[in-house]
């Protein structure tokens, strides 16, 4: 922050001023045995003083130039910690205990109406918690029609409208079943599996 940067500049200023004083002192304490011809053209400064001053100056400049990087790294670490805590809290709120079998009527209570709670949907006989895809399946999402229910036929047909009763009686064709298979594995690899859907007939979707 501003206080840290100010302290850094003050520290560097003091350090560089100290170095300058050391060099001036070295210049003024010339040896008394100078050759007369060299007395006006060369100063007998100890090499250790010059080397030490150079190292200290470089160190001060390096430390000062890195102060801004350290401040940025600290801010990034703080933001990352806050984001991690936020995601962990979201996961805690959206958690629901898995179980062996779910009735489709149970899924309705988890259709995303609770913006922080679990968000369930069934695909090809499996029930998933898709809370991580809330922007897709939540109340304002494009695929909200699939939330809180069996979404198998919607996915197979790439359909976002309700089917009529007559349409529901028509079996899925081979292309729709292949499409469903792709969707199923995408969802299975992305979201938490909670159990099986009661009454699912595997023959209705098998290839």
């Amino acid at each position: 922050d501003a206080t840290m940067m100010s302290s850094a500049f003050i520290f560097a200023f003091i350090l560089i001023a100290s170095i300058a004083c050391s060099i001036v002192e070295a210049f003024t304490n010339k040896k008394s045995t100078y050759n007369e011809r060299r007395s006006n053209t060369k100063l007998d400064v100890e090499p250790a003083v010059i080397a030490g001053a150079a190292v200290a100056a470089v160190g001060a400049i390096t430390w000062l130039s890195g102060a801004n990087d350290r401040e940025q790294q600290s801010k990034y670490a703080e933001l990352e910690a806050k984001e991690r805590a936020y995601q962990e809290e979201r996961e805690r709120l959206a958690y629901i205990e898995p179980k062996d079998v779910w009735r489709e009527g149970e899924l309705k209570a988890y259709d995303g109406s609770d913006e922080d709670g679990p968000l369930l949907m069934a695909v090809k006989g499996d029930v998933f918690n898709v809370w991580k895809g809330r922007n897709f399946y939540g109340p304002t999402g494009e695929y909200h029609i699939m939330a809180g229910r069996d979404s198998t036929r919607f996915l197979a047909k790439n359909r976002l409208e309700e089917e009529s009763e007559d349409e529901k009686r028509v079996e899925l064709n081979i292309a729709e079943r292949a499409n469903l298979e792709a969707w199923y594995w995408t969802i299975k690899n992305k979201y938490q599996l909670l159990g099986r859907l009661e009454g699912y007939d595997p023959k209705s979707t098998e290839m």
Side-chain angles (χ1 to χ4, degrees):
D1 56 19
T3 302
M4 178 182 291
M5 291 301 294
S6 297
S7 299
F9 279 114
I10 293 172
F11 173 78
F13 177 78
I14 293 173
L15 184 58
I16 293 171
S18 298
I19 293 168
C21 288
S22 298
I23 294 174
V24 170
E25 182 178 357
F27 272 104
T28 55
N29 292 327
K30 302 186 298 294
K31 289 181 180 179
S32 58
T33 58
Y34 274 112
N35 183 289
E36 187 174 305
R37 209 181 316 169
R38 301 171 59 194
S39 62
N40 292 326
T41 62
K42 185 174 181 181
L43 297 175
D44 191 13
V45 181
E46 289 292 333
V49 174
I50 298 296
V55 170
V58 170
I61 293 171
T62 301
W63 187 90
L64 187 59
S65 64
N68 188 55
D69 289 341
R70 289 192 295 274
E71 181 184 10
Q72 290 299 321
Q73 290 172 359
S74 176
K75 287 181 178 179
Y76 290 148
E78 183 180 354
L79 289 174
E80 287 176 356
K82 287 181 178 179
E83 177 63 20
R84 187 162 52 249
Y86 170 70
Q87 292 298 336
E88 288 173 355
E89 178 64 8
R90 285 187 67 204
E91 186 168 358
R92 185 188 70 81
L93 293 172
Y95 177 79
I96 188 169
E97 189 76 22
K99 60 181 185 177
D100 293 336
V101 179
W102 294 79
R103 297 188 305 276
E104 186 170 0
E106 294 180 276
L107 307 185
K108 181 61 179 174
Y110 306 104
D111 65 353
S113 297
D114 178 356
E115 62 181 21
D116 295 317
L119 205 169
L120 309 189
M121 76 178 201
V123 184
K124 202 181 173 187
D126 285 340
V127 176
F128 297 93
N129 187 353
V130 297
W131 71 269
K132 291 182 179 179
R134 197 177 300 277
N135 55 320
F136 298 118
Y137 303 107
T140 61
E142 183 178 2
Y143 305 118
H144 178 60
I145 193 172
M146 303 180 190
R149 65 191 300 180
D150 183 4
S151 64
T152 298
R153 290 182 65 91
F154 290 105
L155 292 171
K157 292 173 173 287
N158 285 330
R159 183 179 180 129
L160 297 177
E161 306 87 23
E162 294 285 357
E163 290 185 288
S164 68
E165 291 303 317
D166 289 339
E167 288 173 322
K168 289 178 183 179
R169 286 191 284 268
V170 177
E171 293 185 354
L172 298 176
N173 61 40
I174 189 65
E176 291 167 340
R177 294 181 188 216
N179 190 48
L180 173 63
E181 193 71 14
W183 272 110
Y184 173 77
W185 286 104
T186 296
I187 291 170
K188 186 173 183 178
N189 289 329
K190 189 173 182 180
Y191 301 115
Q192 181 191 11
L193 176 64
L194 296 178
R196 297 288 295 166
L197 181 66
E198 183 182 61
Y200 167 70
D201 179 10
K203 291 183 180 179
S204 66
T205 57
E206 67 183 7
M207 295 291 291

